[in-house]
Every structure is written in C-alpha cells, then in structure tokens.
Amino acid sequence: LEAIVEDLAVRLEARAASNPGSREADSGLLIDTFPHKTPKEYSLLLTFVRLLKVDTVVVMDIDKLYSDLQRDLANQGVKVVKLPKSGGVVSVSQDRQYRKQADRVLVSEYLYGKSRELCPRHVIVPFDKLHLFRTAPAALAPRDALPIGQGEPVGRGRPEVKRVEP
C-alpha cells in the first residue's frame, strides 16, 4: 500500500508541476483514510501524511488519535484539527465480529439481491462453444492529420469490439 501511495504522490506532484496555475496546482486534496486500530496502521497513516505532503489533518471524535497525531506531527509543521461529531451521528460498532457479519450481508445482497431475487450459479460451457471478445478504444488520428475544419478525431467514443481466438 505504501508503494501505491508513493507512486500517487509522485504523479500528483508531477501533474501540478507540469501545469503551474492550474486547478491541480492551486487546489488541495482531501484524503479519507481507514480506521486506525494497530500501530502498523498508525505508522502507515504517518507515512501517507509525509508522502502526500499533507499540511492539515482533521480527526473526527477520536481523542487518542488526535493527541498522538499532534505529538508526532508537531515538528513537521502539520496542523492537526479535532472535529467533534454532530449530535445525530451514530458510531459504527468497532466489534470485529459485527463488521465481518455486516460485510457478509453486503456481499450477499450484491450477489443475490435484497430479497434473494437473483440466482448466481456456476455454468459449465464447452470450450468450443465459448466466444471471447475484446474491446479497445478506436484508433484516433492526430488532430494535425485531420482535414481542415474537422475538430474532433474520427472514432472518438466508439470502442472497437474484436473477436479473440482462444
């Protein structure tokens, strides 16, 4: 995960540097992270802050996380802000068993439907009856190769569908 975030940070920085004064260069980035339960996850959060050059961290209703971040980010110039929960917000249970069950219910609803109206099942198809297709974006001519007066490249938005022989 750290390598992915590092790659993202490099790409974001390059994009902002390549177009100074653009929206990417002048705007910020909002990062929503996963809950931090273990020291490894907390360390990963600190790594994200460092790699993405975060200047403000907002912590919602977790006093320990807030104080830990204040302690660990104070020397890096990162501002840590505590945001209280609104009155009507209900906390999701932190119970691991409850979360596993909730995940199972969501996957089941996705596969079978809320009222079990869907019926996914295995189907065995003989290989000689199988037809495979590949979609690819249509070949686009460069703008300077187009006839004078034609604005958009030919074939834009229409993918090619090609049969693939197994």
Side-chain angles (χ1 to χ4, degrees):
L1 190 58
E2 187 175 332
I4 293 170
V5 173
E6 187 172 3
D7 183 52
L8 174 66
V10 168
R11 290 173 188 261
L12 288 171
E13 194 171 308
R15 186 171 181 177
S18 70
N19 199 358
S22 69
R23 231 160 103 184
E24 290 89 0
D26 293 339
S27 64
L29 182 67
L30 179 65
I31 306 164
D32 185 10
T33 64
F34 47 85
H36 308 287
K37 301 284 182 239
T38 66
K40 183 177 179 179
E41 291 171 343
Y42 179 74
S43 173
L44 202 54
L45 174 64
L46 293 176
T47 303
F48 293 170
V49 168
R50 180 181 49 81
L51 290 173
L52 295 170
K53 298 179 181 161
V54 172
D55 61 356
T56 305
V57 175
V58 178
V59 179
M60 183 179 285
D61 197 49
I62 304 174
D63 294 328
K64 181 176 178 357
L65 180 60
Y66 173 71
S67 61
D68 289 347
L69 286 173
Q70 269 193 320
R71 180 193 67 227
D72 295 336
L73 298 176
N75 61 350
Q76 297 178 27
V78 177
K79 183 178 177 184
V80 181
V81 178
K82 184 177 177 189
L83 185 66
K85 263 194 305 189
S86 297
V89 175
V90 177
S91 294
V92 175
S93 172
Q94 300 303 323
D95 179 23
R96 190 175 292 273
Q97 193 64 29
Y98 170 79
R99 298 205 113 184
K100 276 184 173 182
Q101 179 62 28
D103 288 345
R104 270 191 236 118
V105 168
L106 287 173
V107 169
S108 178
E109 284 181 4
Y110 176 80
L111 291 174
Y112 300 104
K114 283 191 183 266
S115 57
R116 312 287 281 176
E117 69 272 14
L118 303 175
C119 300
R121 59 188 173 276
H122 294 280
V123 177
I124 298 173
V125 177
F127 198 73
D128 61 334
K129 302 287 185 198
L130 189 64
H131 299 285
L132 303 174
F133 294 90
R134 178 176 63 93
T135 60
L140 302 177
R143 285 191 185 276
D144 56 349
L146 296 174
I148 296 174
Q150 185 171 352
E152 290 296 314
V154 178
R156 180 167 292 252
R158 289 178 296 181
E160 291 181 33
V161 178
K162 294 182 180 180
R163 185 167 182 179
V164 177
E165 294 299 325

